[in-house]
Amino acid sequence: MAGNSDVRGDGARKEQVRRENNGEAQMARATRCLWVACVSFLFFSACSGQERPEPEFYGMYLWTGDVQKYADDLAQLGVKWLNVGGWERNPSETDAAVLESARRGFHLVPRLFMAEISHDRTMPLNEALTKWRALVAGQVERYGQDGALWKEHPEVKPQPIRYWCIWNEPNIEFLSRLEGLERPVLYAKILLAASEEIRRRDPKAYLIAFNTAGGTPRTGGLNPDGMYERIRYVGWRKFIRDTVESAGTACFDGVATHPYTQPRSPEEGDVIGGLRMVRELAAEQKFADKGIWFTEVGFALEYPRNLNVRDERQQACFMTRLWAIAAAHGVVHIDPMFIEDIIYGPDNSRRSFGFFVKPGQWRQQAQATRVMSRLVPDPRKSPVIVSEEPSAVWAYRFLDWKGRELLMAWSAGETELVREFPVKGTVHTLVSMLGNASSLRTVDGRVTLTLCEAPVYVVQAGLEETKALIAFGSHRTTMPVLGGREWMAEVEKVCRVREGAGAGSDIRSAGWMAAVSRKLGVLDSQGHGPTPGSDEWVRAVHRKAFRAEP
């Protein structure tokens, strides 16, 4: 009996242990679930409570499919703020663009638009506004704070969209007239509806309004305050004025224009005069607190009616000068037109604005922008106007990548001009528009510059530090030995941005060099090119990876 009693006792104890273990396991599972739920809650709560990021100055206008197509080039260019058209056309393509941008650290600014009421297409007003509200609400609910896309892809750190452009060039045929309403009155209804739908879901969202065709005193010879029924054009400033009279100022945060001047330069086309006109209106209508954006502007190599610039060099000169002029005069952000050349649908005309000919093939304006954005990461900070002489010398002082004073200057006329400028510091480097650097001699605190249409920079840094910045970025102050291990480590960094070329192979190995050659396009389509490891190969890789001469 005792033995049976011990057996029963052992069984009871084992059962108790089993139950306790099950209880502990259940408790552990419950704790894990609670922990995951808490982390998820905190994660998405953090997204909801994210501060709205401040826009960078340098941007780009492109379409949703271009984000993935040109992601590597944009990363090398250093432009992270992208104004995106064609947003609503292909939802799966838009999803892919938003996720790629979140992985890369890009910030997208969608250009919301409804093709059903553009280019003479119409529908009843109430039906159009109902459809528009649904479109806007759907975009914020999918891509904004707590958006459905982020919940569907927990593997991607959310980067919710907080900035929204409302329509494109509504003062021309991109907005049809509905039920006899004048365009500004109709756009006021569109803008108010968008503001209500977006801010109901994100009270701190930033709305960029107007995005007008035109933004200079005489856009295409037309009066900005005029109305032109025959060509269905509302002068860009009249459009803004009339819209604000109907909608008020609470429904937008930024004022955007498209101040094209081509084939003229930004100086001759009077971009500054256009900004003055916006500010006059802002003072009159009490929206001077709103930032001014250029959400589309550029200089085409090919354009209808000969409205193109001379060549690729002039395109780069005008774009670089526009960056400087706009920043010195208080523009918040610029989105150049366009990331690549386009065929304009309505008239099937070719418009060669592209920063890139194709992925990996850069135009000079892309290289010039990369150089300027490295030397002057934020030209909006404490700019000083040195000279703005019509058809002569234009010069500004900006803060460089280390907060030191930098001089930028050029000739806006057709002839070279020689000028002296006072400079601070004792060591200086002269940098060309495309990044060629050379030591610069000062005499009694002054430098003498020969100026042409291409801007130059006078930097308070030595030659090696400046070359290292242009090629590698601000993390380096010295140049690594070409082809050495440090140089290869820098190549590896570039390649990893391009989806990990070289991963799994030791640096300097044959496999690593082959992967680098493929990823950077050193070899042609048949696999021909310089022998990996040779001097020719090193120089080719340097040009591709760092967009600078070795």
Side-chain angles (χ1 to χ4, degrees):
M1 291 290 294
N4 289 339
S5 177
D6 288 342
V7 169
R8 285 196 299 271
D10 286 344
R13 282 192 295 273
K14 288 178 181 177
E15 178 62 19
Q16 183 179 358
V17 169
R18 186 185 67 79
R19 288 177 178 175
E20 287 174 354
N21 287 341
N22 283 343
E24 288 174 1
Q26 290 172 358
M27 180 64 74
R29 283 195 296 272
T31 301
R32 284 196 298 272
C33 290
L34 181 61
W35 182 83
V36 170
C38 287
V39 169
S40 299
F41 173 78
L42 290 171
F43 186 66
F44 285 105
S45 294
C47 293
S48 300
Q50 278 183 353
E51 286 296 315
R52 191 182 69 215
E54 289 300 316
E56 295 179 2
F57 177 68
Y58 302 98
M60 185 67 66
Y61 180 31
L62 72 175
W63 286 66
T64 50
D66 297 324
V67 174
Q68 287 185 294
K69 182 178 178 181
Y70 286 101
D72 290 342
D73 294 291
L74 288 165
Q76 273 195 293
L77 186 62
V79 170
K80 296 181 179 179
W81 282 73
L82 312 175
N83 195 298
V84 190
W87 187 262
E88 70 290 335
R89 292 187 174 189
N90 186 330
S92 61
E93 188 175 78
T94 302
D95 282 0
V98 174
L99 293 170
E100 181 71 14
S101 295
R103 295 185 188 101
R104 299 260 190 171
F106 298 157
H107 294 268
L108 301 187
V109 181
R111 192 169 298 202
L112 297 181
F113 180 76
M114 202 167 82
E116 293 89 335
I117 54 171
S118 71
H119 295 90
D120 294 326
R121 292 183 287 266
T122 65
M123 64 173 62
L125 176 61
N126 286 339
E127 181 183 341
L129 290 175
T130 298
K131 187 167 186 177
W132 169 246
R133 283 181 178 274
L135 184 153
V136 172
Q139 300 307 309
V140 183
E141 289 171 359
R142 182 151 189 82
Y143 305 113
Q145 296 205 107
D146 298 326
L149 182 72
W150 310 119
K151 295 171 184 175
E152 293 169 11
H153 293 273
E155 77 282 3
V156 178
K157 182 180 178 181
Q159 186 146 287
I161 290 172
R162 311 295 304 280
Y163 289 75
W164 305 87
C165 267
I166 309 304
W167 221 266
N168 178 63
E169 299 188 341
N171 60 322
I172 59 174
E173 66 271 15
F174 285 95
L175 180 61
S176 303
R177 291 176 60 177
L178 303 185
E179 299 182 3
L181 290 179
E182 297 293 341
R183 282 201 183 101
V185 176
L186 175 57
Y187 182 71
K189 294 179 182 295
I190 287 170
L191 182 57
L192 284 165
S195 176
E196 290 171 9
E197 297 300 333
I198 292 172
R199 288 187 168 132
R200 184 178 298 143
R201 293 159 178 83
D202 182 1
K204 294 185 179 180
Y206 189 107
L207 275 68
I208 304 160
F210 310 115
N211 305 290
T212 56
T216 62
R218 299 296 295 182
T219 299
L222 302 175
N223 183 352
D225 296 310
M227 172 78 84
Y228 299 85
E229 288 287 354
R230 185 179 63 81
I231 58 173
R232 297 181 295 177
Y233 174 80
V234 183
W236 65 266
R237 189 163 74 160
K238 175 179 172 56
F239 183 85
I240 296 173
R241 175 185 283 111
D242 292 353
T243 299
V244 172
E245 285 180 0
S246 292
T249 62
C251 55
F252 63 94
D253 305 286
V255 178
T257 66
H258 298 170
Y260 286 99
T261 64
Q262 61 175 36
R264 295 175 297 171
S265 69
E267 302 91 343
E268 186 184 356
D270 201 8
V271 167
I272 296 172
L275 289 169
R276 190 182 305 117
M277 292 182 71
V278 174
R279 293 193 172 104
E280 289 170 355
L281 182 61
E284 173 191 326
Q285 294 191 308
K286 296 180 172 53
F287 60 86
D289 59 322
K290 314 291 186 181
I292 300 176
W293 295 54
F294 292 167
T295 48
E296 187 180 314
V297 63
F299 304 93
L301 297 174
E302 187 177 351
Y303 199 87
R305 305 187 305 281
N306 298 318
L307 295 178
N308 52 281
V309 294
R310 184 191 68 228
D311 54 21
E312 189 175 331
R313 174 181 168 82
Q314 190 177 65
Q315 180 187 54
C317 292
F318 286 2
M319 189 67 238
T320 308
R321 285 150 56 173
L322 179 64
W323 289 124
I325 292 166
H329 287 270
V331 172
V332 172
H333 174 88
I334 302 180
D335 294 304
M337 169 80 178
F338 195 63
I339 197 163
E340 65 180 4
D341 297 345
I342 63 168
I343 302 295
Y344 183 60
D347 62 7
N348 205 37
S349 61
R350 184 173 180 81
R351 304 186 177 193
S352 304
F353 288 100
F355 266 54
F356 307 106
V357 177
K358 61 182 180 180
Q361 188 172 338
W362 293 30
R363 285 213 173 105
Q364 288 185 24
Q365 63 176 341
Q367 176 66 16
T369 296
R370 184 177 190 267
V371 170
M372 181 173 176
S373 64
R374 290 207 160 181
L375 293 171
V376 192
D378 191 349
R380 300 167 300 183
K381 291 182 178 178
S382 306
V384 176
I385 298 171
V386 177
S387 176
E388 291 180 340
E389 302 175 46
S391 301
V393 173
W394 287 60
Y396 301 97
R397 297 191 192 278
F398 297 113
L399 299 182
D400 75 3
W401 69 101
K402 287 188 174 180
R404 300 166 298 198
E405 188 178 272
L406 170 150
L407 176 70
M408 180 179 183
W410 64 88
S411 169
E414 296 181 358
T415 59
E416 289 188 346
L417 297 171
V418 178
R419 285 289 189 276
E420 276 192 357
F421 296 92
V423 291
K424 295 179 180 178
T426 57
V427 178
H428 299 88
T429 297
L430 181 68
V431 181
S432 73
M433 179 179 73
L434 298 180
N436 295 319
S438 58
S439 296
L440 183 62
R441 182 170 173 263
T442 60
V443 178
D444 297 327
R446 303 180 72 83
V447 294
T448 300
L449 302 177
T450 300
L451 302 174
C452 65
E453 65 177 349
V456 295
Y457 309 88
V458 177
V459 181
Q460 288 187 63
L463 182 59
E464 185 172 12
E465 180 185 353
T466 304
K467 283 186 171 182
L469 170 85
I470 293 168
F472 304 107
S474 58
H475 67 282
R476 290 200 68 95
T477 57
T478 58
M479 291 288 289
V481 175
L482 200 65
R485 180 167 287 277
E486 276 190 55
W487 177 86
M488 288 190 175
E490 294 290 346
V491 172
E492 176 73 0
K493 288 179 187 176
V494 173
C495 290
R496 287 192 182 281
V497 170
R498 291 171 167 261
E499 300 174 3
S505 300
D506 292 333
I507 288 179
R508 305 183 83 167
S509 70
W512 181 83
M513 291 183 188
V516 166
S517 296
R518 287 193 303 273
K519 190 61 183 176
L520 296 182
V522 173
L523 306 179
D524 63 22
S525 57
Q526 282 77 44
H528 302 140
T531 303
S534 66
D535 286 346
E536 184 186 1
W537 181 85
V538 167
R539 290 179 176 277
V541 168
H542 190 92
R543 292 188 188 97
K544 291 283 189 179
F546 309 120
R547 299 289 164 182
E549 285 300 314

